[in-house]
Amino acid sequence: MESTQSLNSSLEEAKRFIELNDDFLVISHINPDGDAASSTCAMGWLLNKLGKRYVMANMDTMPTRFSYLTGIENVQLLQGLQKYEPFNHVISVDCADFYRFGELNTVFHEQAKLLNVDHHATNSHFGSSNLVDVTAAATAQVMYSLINYMNIELDLDIAKCLYTGLLTDTGGFRYQNTTPKVLEIASVLLSHGVSPTEIARIALETITPSHVAMLQCSLNTLSFHDSKKIAWIIASANDLMLTGATADDLDGIVRYPVNISGVEVGLLFKQLSERSFKVSLRSNDFVNVSQVAALFGGGGHIRAAGCTVEGDLHEVIARVVSACEKALL
Ligand code: 5GP
Ligand code: MN
């Protein structure tokens, strides 16, 4: 969405989708991160303010670090949805495509209408209504715009929630998506009583023993392309099992290869099964990693993207590194 006019018409469409319907299912992507958790809870908060009935759900459990988010304890897993009728009105948040929310589509009514609220440049506009602002740093920022557009007053709960999404998706207000607008919104949220120290500590700084153990293992696998501009690490299934690390425990590990001076692209290969790897891609200044991820059926943002690649480890690494090498030219 480039122009203010089209943003306004999408906000109006989203507002109508919410106002004219009821009994919503609110969902986000598998392995939810800070923005997915925040925008799910923010949508729940908004529906609650409007007196709407809704159920929030995710394929995976919400990271425990975000247990302070308003309503997060009510987010259901797929099994928990069996007691409801198929949902006619679905709202997805922070999902770039229809496959990102996994098998939650099995509880949609076959004629379900879907409102797609997101900020990924690779968003495929898969909803029957789409509120996609690719200039927003986080889906939490899109939620802020929607809440404002609907003239709902903020309180401390929603301020903490939106601040968490902004903070995590900008890497602590450091990545290139940290715009003047992001800091303006952060300022408004702080004025509602958010403690930046407390949220930064919980959302960004606290690491688990499993995270540290996995960091030790994966740093042992650090490898470089001949150019020294591409660096990668591996999280093998064996190491993941030995350390007991969850997807959330791996958060941030991909920053190590990309933060090495001289490196433009950093990669993390996380083994999902014998021949399946989740690849996290990060870049510093010029490689558009969302385009590289898209070559493998994934997507994301210019500087942070992901995809899943099948094959044996060495073949997968060779294919992804070669695609990054071409993107460096
Ligand atoms: P991460 O590497 O942290 O899993 O993901 C980085 C970014 O890429 C996030 O914005 C995430 O939503 C997106 N992403 C990760 N994996 C996929 C994928 O398989 N498909 C798409 N479309 N986006 C992905
Ligand atoms: Mn996001």
Side-chain angles (χ1 to χ4, degrees):
M1 177 174 321
E2 263 66 59
S3 70
T4 313
Q5 193 185 0
S6 67
L7 177 58
N8 274 336
S9 68
S10 309
L11 285 166
E12 180 61 29
E13 194 175 339
K15 175 176 185 265
R16 290 170 63 86
F17 184 94
I18 292 171
E19 282 178 351
L20 300 178
N21 299 301
D22 207 347
D23 291 307
F24 299 92
L25 175 67
V26 179
I27 56 179
S28 189
H29 60 78
I30 53 171
N31 295 327
D33 57 8
D35 191 32
S38 300
S39 44
T40 299
C41 294
M43 186 56 83
W45 177 93
L46 174 61
L47 294 171
N48 194 45
K49 284 276 162 192
L50 297 166
K52 299 287 180 178
R53 290 183 298 264
Y54 64 95
V55 177
M56 300 178 286
N58 201 282
M59 285 303 287
D60 299 300
T61 48
M62 290 283 149
T64 47
R65 69 170 72 227
F66 299 118
S67 58
Y68 63 91
L69 295 177
T70 178
I72 197 166
E73 67 284 3
N74 300 324
V75 180
Q76 316 259 331
L77 292 170
L78 183 58
Q79 308 85 285
L81 299 178
Q82 305 312 327
K83 60 176 178 282
Y84 300 98
E85 291 294 307
F87 289 88
N88 275 304
H89 296 98
V90 180
I91 304 177
S92 71
V93 291
D94 206 37
C95 294
D97 62 53
F98 192 81
Y99 306 100
R100 290 288 285 153
F101 40 76
E103 284 141 44
L104 292 171
N105 60 356
T106 55
V107 300
F108 297 3
H109 188 277
E110 58 186 28
Q111 266 138 32
K113 296 266 188 293
L114 188 147
L115 169 64
N116 160 21
V117 181
D118 188 38
H119 71 123
H120 290 91
T122 54
N123 192 289
S124 60
H125 290 244
F126 55 91
S128 47
S129 300
N130 299 283
L131 172 55
V132 178
D133 182 359
V134 302
T135 69
T139 302
Q141 182 177 341
V142 186
M143 286 306 302
Y144 176 86
S145 304
L146 181 62
I147 291 165
N148 254 345
Y149 186 80
M150 295 183 78
N151 279 319
I152 313 278
E153 248 182 71
L154 301 177
D155 61 17
L156 179 57
D157 283 345
I158 190 66
K160 277 188 186 176
C161 202
L162 299 176
Y163 190 88
T164 299
L166 282 182
L167 185 77
T168 53
D169 259 24
T170 58
F173 304 121
R174 285 178 299 182
Y175 303 153
Q176 283 182 348
N177 55 358
T178 310
T179 57
K181 183 79 193 160
V182 165
L183 294 182
E184 268 169 40
I185 298 172
S187 160
V188 172
L189 300 174
L190 292 184
S191 72
H192 280 83
V194 169
S195 159
T197 325
E198 193 184 311
I199 296 192
R201 194 176 58 234
I202 301 171
L204 298 178
E205 284 168 13
T206 303
I207 48 178
T208 59
S210 297
H211 172 98
V212 180
M214 212 41 237
L215 182 60
Q216 284 180 303
C217 299
S218 57
L219 286 180
N220 275 327
T221 70
L222 178 67
S223 310
F224 291 88
H225 178 256
D226 287 344
S227 65
K228 300 280 187 281
K229 291 190 170 130
I230 309 169
W232 62 92
I233 54 175
I234 301 158
S236 71
N238 194 45
D239 289 341
L240 288 164
M241 190 188 65
L242 291 174
T243 58
T246 61
D248 192 41
D249 290 322
L250 284 186
D251 213 35
I253 283 183
V254 66
R255 296 306 311 170
Y256 285 84
V258 77
N259 281 347
I260 300 168
S261 61
V263 168
E264 169 61 15
V265 180
L267 306 167
L268 165 68
F269 294 88
K270 177 191 170 190
Q271 188 168 25
L272 302 175
S273 66
E274 182 69 33
R275 290 177 57 80
S276 178
F277 295 84
K278 163 80 208 289
V279 190
S280 287
L281 303 95
R282 300 291 186 271
S283 64
N284 281 313
D285 296 314
F286 54 91
V287 170
N288 183 340
V289 285
S290 79
Q291 283 175 356
V292 178
L295 297 173
F296 300 94
H301 307 286
I302 298 177
R303 304 278 173 252
C307 55
T308 299
V309 187
E310 316 287 327
D312 81 53
L313 174 63
H314 296 286
E315 175 199 335
V316 167
I317 293 176
R319 286 173 60 204
V320 177
V321 170
S322 154
C324 294
E325 190 184 351
K326 292 200 181 82
L328 274 168
L329 296 174

